Amino acid sequence: MAGVVLTVTSGKGGVGKTTTSANLGTALAMAGQRVVVVDADLGLRNLDIVMGLESRIVYTVVDVIEDRCPLHQALIRDKRVGELYLLPASQTRDKDAVTPDQMMTICQELQEIADYVLIDSPAGIEAGFRNAVAPATEVLIVTTPEVSALRDADKVIYLLERDVGIEPRLIINRYNPRLVRRGDMLNSKDILDILSIDLLGIVPDDDNIVISTNKGRPIALEPEVYVSRAYHNIAQRILGYNVPLLRFQEVSWWERFRRMLGL
Amino acid sequence: MSEFNQATSKTNNPVRLPRPNASSKPSIVRIVGTGDGIVMRIGDQDGRWSDIVRVLAGHLAKAEGFFQGERVAIEIGARLLSADDLQQIADVLAGYNIAIWAVRTSNPETRRMVQDIGLAAEGMDGSQEGQPASTGKNERARWEVHLGQRNQAAPAVKPHSEFQPPQAIADAIADQAIDQAERTEAVSPGPPKPETTGRPAFGSPAAEAEAIHQTEDTDDTTDPEVILAPPYIFRGTLRSGQVFRHAGTIMLIGDVNPGAEVISGGDIFVWGRLRGIVHAGAMGNERAVVCAIDFEPIQLRIAGYIAMSPKAVSNEPGRWFWRRNAVEKPEVARVMGKQIVVDVWDRE
């Protein structure tokens, strides 16, 4: 049975596509799936750093396309979880080195061996974006609760519906429940009102995500941390389970007071 | 086939090739401005079609984009024309962003072909439409565009009662030379140039002004009774970057998101949230109205008038669309006394 090709994209840069890809890949692998994460951001590769696999890269996706190595040789196995593989992007070549057709060929091969192929799309709506969405069977849009990110996400949804014919699903990233409650941030209902697509999950804004990204150890590897639940829930929903939305952890006033004092 | 024709004409009888600007004898192709827009008159009998296409291309090259964005009618007399022949002309014109809207012919065979394609077909005297005869008698009504001479403005295109969107060609002939992106961008077949009538420069509105009126009235505005095209009903959400153009009234069942544009020759009705940019009466109809259930456009234009949402020019322009106190009532915008006025719908 052929696997599912999931493309993670956003339009705007810096909303957390790479972090989401790394964590979702990890969470899906921890749920027992065989996952290949593909970095489609040629020329600006980051996914390997976020996953902490940078030092083990020998061959990249461009080497596979140009027949310098077989596909399985370019895949890097993440040994911390069951079956998670990374197909890294090249840092020296840019987006013109790959065409959508070649991307589709690679993904067809990966579909044979994996349950889920996650493609981390570059920002923008140019060649790199088209490469990333061409092979997709499902698309996840990542957005933050900011009007600029929403505007770009809206455009990307339009492009996807026009060119690929896929109805994408939405992940809201860096959601700050405290600001939302004060009315200083768009709430999830406002966002869904504008984008009118299915919500797959909400990832709250949390320091632990930044810390884990810098460590090269996806937060999803530590299920006991509260935000990592958000990624595991999204992974469960991708697998077809009906999981309720995360109840946001409130920081008590005493806790906030302690942080203010720097304790 | 066309290449073959061209090749033979080049080798065998180069003398027959008329020069575009030979003043002594009339050219095969003449481009004339009449009461109802630009007409390309193509000589009746003489000349091969490929020659004519070449002469026309020469004329247009000389004109250096003078006719850019216009739409033209073609008069071809009694000549028998095939769809391929018409396509050749359409290709050449498309290179200069010119659209054909009508073909005048006295040949019934050709007329049938033209009607099949979906363009307006008329008799040579234009009697079908009851228009003033543009040939012969009323010389004063028409004036010639002298190629290469630019002191005269091109006539503004009058709305035409039998206006067929040029996109109709594209439906009939598969390989019409319309830019692919353009075709997908425009959801509906639209008027070739809604901007033909003058409108104030975009982006110049004073910040505090609720409505800005045009400094000069264009003379060719409006016969409001003229129906430009049948209404178009669209169901779905218009997203950021999407542009919806149509010559007639637009009925939208769904939302218009911020960043999307709706341009209509007539009225615009939005059965949903309106948050993008709308332009009603884009061809100069000042009686056009814009209605929406949830009326929050970033910018609103009717004919030559521009208005901005008061929230969009407030201190916090970024958050106006999500921090709004909804009126919860449908609203309607229309031009009253040189400015755009927005009212709650039930007042009527």
Side-chain angles (χ1 to χ4, degrees), chain B residues 209-240:
Chain B
E210 162 80 342
I212 295 158
H213 65 78
Q214 204 176 341
T215 46
E216 41 156 5
D217 284 331
T218 46
D219 50 357
D220 59 329
T221 37
T222 57
D223 187 6
E225 304 312 317
V226 172
I227 299 157
L228 298 165
Y232 195 100
I233 300 174
F234 177 82
R235 190 190 292 260
T237 306
L238 279 190
R239 298 188 179 277
S240 172

Side-chain angles (χ1 to χ4, degrees), chain A residues 147 151 154 157-158 183 194-195, chain B residues 239-240 242 257-258 321 323:
Chain A
V147 280
R151 191 69 66 90
D154 198 36
I157 295 167
Y158 153 51
I194 294 167
L195 299 182
Chain B
R239 298 188 179 277
S240 172
Q242 240 169 327
N257 278 0
F321 77 83
R323 264 211 149 183

